[in-house]
Amino acid sequence: MFDIAALSASFGGFIWMFFFFVIALSIIVAVHEYGHYIVGRWCGIHAEVFSVGFGTVLLSRVDRHGTRWQFAALPFGGFVRFKGDASAASAPDAVLLPKLDAQERRKTMHGAPIWARAATAAAGPVFNFILSIVLYGGLFMWHGQYDGSLKIAKLTPVPGEMGLQVGDEILAVEGQEVRSYEEFATIGQALLPPVRYTVLRDGGRRTVLGPVPFPALVAQVQPRSAAIEAGLQAGDVILRIDGRTISGFSELQRTVAAADGDEMGFSVWRAGREFDVRLTAKSVAILSANGDFVNRRLVGISGGTFFEPGTDPLPFAVAFAAAAERTWSIISLSLAGLKQMILGSISACNISGPVAIAETAGQMARQGAMPFVALIAGLSAAVGLMNLFPIPVLDGGHLLFCAYEAITGRKPSDSALQILMTVGLVLVLSLTAFAVVMNFMCP
C-alpha cells in the first residue's frame, strides 16, 4: 500500500525545492540577460524581446524603445533576442538580414561593429559577477566585523553547565588570560567540560562554568550532505558517535575521519531533547593546503563557538573588496576543480547539475534568507564563468567568433555558424544530461 503521509511530505518537499530553484534561477538569468540588453542598447543594438523563461508567454509589455518584456511558462532560463536574430542563441536570420539597409543592419548583432558585439556578448557574464559581488558585499556589511573583544553578543543553547550570560566579557579560560579570539581558540582546543571562565560582569570579575569553547555544535549544515539528509540542523549538538562521548568539535572531526565509509550512529541534542540518527560520510573534493583537490569523506557539518562576539559595522570599501575576492575565489576554485575532474584526480560526482542545484536551493532556503542569498551569489559567479566557456551558443562562443573576425578580417560564413551553433547546443545539452545522470548515480 502507498504511504500517503510520506508521499505528501515528498511532494511538499519537491514543491519547496522547485519554488526556490525557480526564484534563484530567475534572479540570476534576469541579471545576466539585462547585462546583454542594456549594453547592447548602449552600443546601438536593438533588442526586440527580453524574456525570462521559455515557451508560452504569460505576461508581456512593449516599452518605449520597442522591446517586448515577457515572462514565459517554462522558468528554466531566459534570453534577449536582438534584431536580426533567428533564435534566442543569436543565430543570424538569413531571410531578414539581406533585406535591411545599412542603417537598420547597424542595429542588429550581425551588422554592428566587432567592439559592440563583443561588449554585448561579454556583458551577461560581467553582470553575473557584479551581482555576486553586490550580494556578498551586502552580506559582509550585514554581518559586520569582529570588534576585537570577547564580549558575548549572543549565546547558543548547549547542554551542560552554562553560567555565562549575554554581555559578559571573557577575560580568562581555565585561569589562562585571553586577549583575542585567536588566543581563545588556541586555548580551547584541548579542554573538557565543564570549563572555568573568568568574565567581566557589571564592572566586576567573576568565575563561572560553561561548555568547552568549541563544542560539537552544528553551526551550519552543508547542502546535499549526509548531515542534512539525516535531518541535522544548525544549533544541534553532537553528544555521542557510536556510543562514544564527543567533548568538542575537533574530536567529532577525528571520529568521522576514522570511520571513513562506515555508517555512524549520532546521538544529537536539540533544544533540550535527545534523539539518534544514522549517517554515512560522503566523499567530497576539498582544497588541500598545497592547493590541490583531494577527496575526503565528510558529513557536511561546520562548527563554531557557543557564542557570537561583538561586531562593528564593516566599511563599504572593505566589504566590497572582500566580496570581489570571494567572487574571484569561486571562479578560480571552479576552474581548478574542473581541471582536476578532467584529469581524473577527483570524482565527477562533484559536478552539480540542475537537479543538484535545485535540491541545494531548497535546502539553503530552509536554513534562512542569508544562506539562500549567499547561494544566489555563488551560483551567479558560476553561471558567469560557465557562459564564458568558448562554446558556440554560449557568450564565450560569440566572443570567440568576434576574435576570429578581428584576426582574419572576415566573419565565419552563415552555414559555418549554423553548424557550429548546432554542435555547441548538442555539447551543452550533453554536458547537462551527464551532470543530471551523475547527480542521480552518485551517493
Side-chain angles (χ1 to χ4, degrees), residues 129-145:
F129 299 144
I130 292 173
L131 175 63
S132 178
I133 292 170
V134 168
L135 292 180
Y136 277 132
L139 289 174
F140 291 156
M141 291 183 70
W142 179 269
H143 275 295
Q145 60 184 348

Side-chain angles (χ1 to χ4, degrees), residues 99-186:
K99 300 177 181 178
L100 300 178
D101 59 29
Q103 185 177 4
E104 288 300 309
R105 190 177 177 85
R106 170 62 181 81
K107 297 178 182 179
T108 71
M109 272 289 280
H110 310 282
I114 295 177
W115 65 265
R117 283 179 275 138
T120 302
V126 169
F127 269 56
N128 279 134
F129 299 144
I130 292 173
L131 175 63
S132 178
I133 292 170
V134 168
L135 292 180
Y136 277 132
L139 289 174
F140 291 156
M141 291 183 70
W142 179 269
H143 275 295
Q145 60 184 348
Y146 173 49
D147 65 8
S149 73
L150 286 171
K151 191 171 185 178
I152 297 175
K154 180 181 178 181
L155 279 170
T156 300
V158 294
E161 298 278 357
M162 180 58 80
L164 294 155
Q165 300 177 5
V166 172
D168 287 348
E169 183 174 355
I170 298 174
L171 303 176
V173 180
E174 287 293 344
Q176 299 185 66
E177 185 177 344
V178 290
R179 293 175 296 274
S180 67
Y181 191 85
E182 290 71 21
E183 289 185 0
F184 174 79
T186 301

Side-chain angles (χ1 to χ4, degrees), residues 240-260:
R240 293 174 296 277
I241 297 180
D242 291 333
R244 174 184 172 181
T245 299
I246 302 298
S247 60
F249 197 81
S250 58
E251 186 174 8
L252 183 152
Q253 291 176 308
R254 291 193 297 271
T255 303
V256 169
D260 195 20

